[in-house]
Every structure is written in C-alpha cells, then in structure tokens.
C-alpha cells in the first residue's frame, strides 16, 4: 500500500519537487517518510479523478516551523497507475492505495532529442526569454516537459505515455504548433505598439493601375 498525496499537478521521474507542508495529515506523512524511510505517491488530480501519478522520495527537510509545518524537497522516481484508493490508511491521517508501477517500452533517439532542443531554442528566442535553461544531449523528455508551455492536461497526457519515442514526438508536435502561434502573437504585439506612431509607407506605383 503506497501513501498518496494527491495534487493538481504533474510530477515526473527525476524531478526535484519543493513542497510546503501545512496540513496535519501530510505533516504525519512527512514524519513517517523521515523516520521510516518510506516513499509516497503524488497522483495527479485532474477532471475530478485520480488514476496516474509518480512515486516520490523525501530528499530533504529544508525547514521546520514551530507549529509542525515544513518546507521539504522530494524527488520523483517512477510512474504508477492506481488500482484502488483509500481516503485514509489504517491508523493514519493520510490517504493511500494499491498501485501498479509502470515501465517504458524503449529508450529515446538522439536525432529526436536534437530536433526537440532545436525547437525549444526557437521557442525561447520567440518568447525573448533572457536566461533560458540549458539542456544537453542525452536527456529524457521529462527534463524539459515543464519548460515548453504544456497545459496540465498535456503534461498529464505525457505522463501516461509509456514510450520515450512517443514522448519526444509529442513534445516536438506541441512545439511545432506553439511556435507559429507565438510568432503571430509577436506580430500582433508589433502592430499594436505601432498604433499612434509615425509610419513610413512604401510609395505605390500607379502606372499600371486602372479603374
């Protein structure tokens, strides 16, 4: 039985996750993790459902407050699917459930990684991001998933894909749709900014103009 901490967020394997713990049930969970070395799961609460999530391990308690609250750092490990959910585990304040841990069917392709990084670079240029994160090959799709403007539903869809090739292709497809939209927004911004300014129009040639 895996303790569960549902959140309206997607956590990926390998992700470093800072959390502020204030509810009594999760204070108890973090104490159990710290004292017993257990892990817990963060299933994504989406569309009023809990189905897929990521197991995380407590990495560090960064700060403890006098009233029991704490700042903690956790790290994602592996993805699971919930088989049964219990709103409260026996003798505990927090929820839990039986889960099935999932595995990938293949590894990533370096050519797709290069294409994805190229598209990410284009997106950051279009967005004029001053200090963009740097990704080096080889990497996994989860490392960039939070950095390309996915919605919660899109992040969750990526979480459920069981092939790294599928995930890379999904992210590339997202960027190929997103980049032209950002470019059009930038053009619209330029037009709006030009409103009220002196404009230099090219002279028209009327020699061949007929009524």
């Amino acid at each position: 039985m895996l303790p569960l901490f549902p959140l309206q967020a997607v956590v990926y394997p390998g992700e470093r996750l800072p959390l502020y713990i204030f509810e009594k049930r999760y204070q108890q969970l973090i104490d159990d993790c710290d004292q017993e070395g257990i892990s817990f799961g963060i299933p994504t609460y989406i569309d009023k459902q809990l189905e897929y999530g990521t197991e995380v391990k407590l990495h560090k308690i960064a700060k403890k407050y006098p009233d029991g609250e704490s700042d903690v750092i956790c790290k994602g490990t592996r993805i699971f699917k919930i088989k049964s959910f219990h709103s409260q585990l026996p003798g505990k304040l927090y929820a839990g459930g039986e889960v099935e841990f999932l595995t990938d069917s293949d590894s990533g392709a370096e050519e797709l990684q290069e294409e994805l990084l190229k598209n990410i670079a284009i997106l950051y240029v279009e967005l004029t991001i001053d200090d963009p994160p740097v990704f080096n090959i080889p990497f996994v799709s989860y490392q960039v998933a939070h950095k390309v403007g996915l919605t919660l539903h899109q992040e969750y869809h990526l979480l459920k894909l069981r092939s790294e090739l599928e995930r890379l292709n999904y992210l590339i497809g997202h960027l190929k749709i997103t980049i032209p939209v950002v470019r059009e927004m930038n053009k619209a911004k330029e037009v709006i900014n030009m409103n009220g300014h002196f404009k230099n129009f090219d002279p028209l040639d009327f020699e061949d103009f007929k009524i």
Side-chain angles (χ1 to χ4, degrees):
M1 197 76 72
L2 183 69
L4 296 176
F5 185 165
L7 287 176
Q8 200 168 12
V10 173
V11 180
Y12 293 116
E15 180 179 348
R16 182 178 176 274
L17 179 71
L19 289 172
Y20 170 58
I21 306 298
F22 60 92
E23 290 187 60
K24 293 296 182 184
R25 54 182 168 171
Y26 297 128
Q27 290 178 20
Q28 183 187 63
L29 173 58
I30 293 302
D31 285 343
D32 287 351
C33 290
D34 186 37
Q35 294 168 17
E36 302 172 22
I38 63 172
S39 59
F40 63 98
I42 297 184
T44 301
Y45 181 69
I46 189 168
D47 297 330
K48 298 182 179 180
Q49 291 184 330
L50 294 171
E51 188 177 12
Y52 289 88
T54 300
E55 179 192 37
V56 301
K57 290 186 178 294
L58 177 65
H59 175 66
K60 178 183 179 183
I61 298 177
K63 184 175 181 179
K64 276 207 167 189
Y65 298 91
D67 55 1
E69 299 174 4
S70 61
D71 295 328
V72 303
I73 298 171
C74 301
K75 189 170 183 179
T77 58
R78 49 186 176 163
I79 294 169
F80 61 81
K81 183 177 182 180
I82 296 176
K83 298 173 70 175
S84 68
F85 178 79
H86 306 274
S87 58
Q88 195 170 335
L89 291 180
K92 301 296 181 182
L93 299 175
Y94 50 79
E98 295 179 10
V99 304
E100 175 190 0
F101 290 104
L102 307 177
T103 56
D104 278 0
S105 60
D106 56 36
S107 58
E110 190 169 309
E111 314 85 71
L112 286 179
Q113 292 177 351
E114 290 174 355
E115 185 178 354
L116 178 56
L117 288 189
K118 190 184 301 181
N119 279 278
I120 291 174
I122 293 170
L123 176 67
Y124 288 169
V125 168
E126 294 293 337
L127 291 172
T128 61
I129 294 178
D130 293 331
D131 190 20
V134 177
F135 306 104
N136 297 311
I137 294 175
F139 66 93
V140 294
S141 54
Y142 297 135
Q143 292 175 262
V144 305
H146 289 311
K147 307 292 186 181
V148 295
L150 295 177
T151 65
L152 178 63
H153 280 82
Q154 289 171 324
E155 288 187 344
Y156 187 61
H157 178 76
L158 189 80
L159 183 77
K160 295 191 292 181
L161 295 176
R162 299 284 21 99
S163 158
E164 178 67 0
L165 293 177
E166 280 186 281
R167 289 192 292 266
L168 290 169
N169 277 312
Y170 182 76
L171 291 172
I172 291 168
H174 163 74
L175 288 169
K176 286 184 175 178
I177 293 172
T178 301
I179 290 169
V181 172
V182 172
R183 281 178 176 155
E184 288 302 313
M185 290 175 62
N186 286 339
K187 288 179 184 177
K189 189 190 302 181
E190 289 174 8
V191 171
I192 292 168
N193 288 338
M194 281 298 295
N195 188 34
H197 292 262
F198 293 104
K199 299 179 178 68
N200 181 22
F201 292 105
D202 291 333
L204 299 176
D205 187 353
F206 291 105
E207 289 184 3
D208 297 325
F209 185 73
K210 296 179 182 179
I211 295 179

